[in-house]
Amino acid sequence: MTNPFKLFALTAILLTPGVACASTLPGVPASCFSYELGGTRQSPHALTATSLHATLTGTDITLDIKGITVADPSGHVETATLERFNAVAAYAALSAFRGGISGACQGQSLGIKSDDIRPGTPQATWSNVSLNRPGHGMTIHKASIQAVQTTPDLRLKVEGMGIHDTKQPLMPTQLSADLTVQGLDTARQQITINALHAVSGSSAIDGKGTIEPGATASTSAADLHVSVTNVETLIGEIRDTAPKKVVAALTIARLMGRQSGDATLWDIGLSGGVVTVNRIPLPFSVP
């Protein structure tokens, strides 16, 4: 995911090479998550590192990054907080790759609050990202996350380019999203997807909507609106490489969609463990 981070024209740079050591987030035990930064250099309101290795302890899921830049161009967020901001992003990436929070991490605080980054606009860029678990790997050439607003709500822009997943044939090669998180410091957040755009083969995926994440899918809620162009072509592109159940699922999804020119549209809802597509309940409940 890429973003212009040539805003780091900071003066009085203190070049202090870092020594790699295992760390974790305040309040998060090493039995849940740990990471190690290598080749760190700090300056006022900025941090760079040549490597990061992180893991969800006991899961065999790892994250490796070969180049990191984290900074607050507004000059408000301290370097130590920027490191935590970067660590939270690493923890989120590992949890997303796993498909949910690991058992050892249930109920753990992420160790960073909205007040820690207000009124700044912290940003992070990662290069040559690799997520791995046995039999499954994902690489990203460049990724970025930018807090463009931190008050009253947290608004983030994330981008990715050069994405490849060994097990997900529909994984977009490019992705960008504009998200707003309300209630960051509360027990119940709402995530608004202001805009999402992705490219997979010859298809473009666009979406918007809201998500209220709960502890499980059955306690979560969602109201999403998604469009995909050239779905028939996309099915043809993956027919010989994707598992049959993926091709079948996409074929069924196409039949449930509404057509608008070359785009297929879906309104997707989740409430009380029941998923609806274009207001039609699916014949199963999610756990």
Side-chain angles (χ1 to χ4, degrees):
M1 308 191 269
T2 187
N3 214 329
F5 283 92
K6 296 182 180 178
L7 301 174
F8 304 145
L10 301 173
T11 58
I13 295 179
L14 306 176
L15 297 179
T16 54
V19 177
C21 58
S23 305
T24 190
L25 290 161
V28 175
S31 59
C32 160
F33 164 78
S34 66
Y35 71 97
E36 184 176 289
L37 282 172
T40 60
R41 294 179 182 270
Q42 298 183 7
S43 62
H45 313 292
L47 169 74
T48 64
T50 58
S51 66
L52 177 144
H53 176 77
T55 185
L56 291 176
T57 309
T59 65
D60 292 327
I61 300 175
T62 59
L63 168 67
D64 288 280
I65 306 170
K66 298 303 182 184
I68 297 167
T69 300
V70 193
D72 176 21
S74 72
H76 290 94
V77 182
E78 299 300 326
T79 303
T81 302
L82 289 171
E83 182 181 340
R84 296 206 310 275
F85 178 79
N86 184 72
V88 167
Y91 171 81
L94 283 163
S95 298
F97 186 66
R98 179 183 179 274
I101 298 172
S102 68
C105 295
Q106 294 289 341
Q108 300 296 339
S109 167
L110 289 181
I112 190 166
K113 298 182 181 296
S114 56
D115 285 346
D116 294 334
I117 56 178
R118 289 174 178 158
T121 53
Q123 310 171 353
T125 300
W126 295 348
S127 299
N128 299 317
V129 182
S130 178
L131 285 154
N132 288 285
R133 65 192 305 171
H136 185 190
M138 179 178 178
T139 56
I140 306 172
H141 176 64
K142 186 168 286 189
S144 71
I145 180 170
Q146 177 184 15
V148 296
Q149 175 184 318
T150 54
T151 185
D153 301 316
L154 175 62
R155 184 178 175 189
L156 299 170
K157 288 190 176 182
V158 296
E159 297 184 15
M161 62 182 297
I163 305 169
H164 176 70
D165 192 296
T166 60
K167 291 190 70 174
Q168 304 293 338
L170 295 178
M171 179 65 67
T173 55
Q174 299 177 41
L175 173 70
S176 63
D178 182 335
L179 312 170
T180 299
V181 183
Q182 296 173 294
L184 181 65
D185 300 330
T186 67
R188 187 77 173 186
Q189 292 86 38
Q190 177 173 291
I191 301 170
T192 299
I193 304 172
N194 304 307
L196 180 146
H197 178 75
V199 176
S200 180
S202 60
S203 296
I205 301 99
D206 290 278
K208 62 181 180 179
T210 59
I211 301 172
E212 295 182 17
T216 65
S218 62
T219 59
S220 301
D223 179 20
L224 305 173
H225 309 279
V226 180
S227 72
V228 180
T229 62
N230 305 318
V231 174
E232 191 65 44
T233 302
L234 181 61
I235 293 173
E237 290 173 345
I238 68 169
R239 191 178 301 278
D240 295 332
T241 57
K244 290 182 179 179
K245 63 181 181 180
V246 173
V247 177
L250 188 56
T251 301
I252 294 170
R254 178 180 63 82
L255 295 173
M256 296 185 68
R258 306 191 312 273
Q259 291 301 126
S260 177
D262 66 350
T264 305
L265 314 179
W266 297 271
D267 298 322
I268 302 170
L270 171 63
S271 179
V274 177
V275 178
T276 59
V277 178
N278 293 338
R279 299 186 179 181
I280 301 173
L282 297 184
F284 59 83
S285 296
V286 294

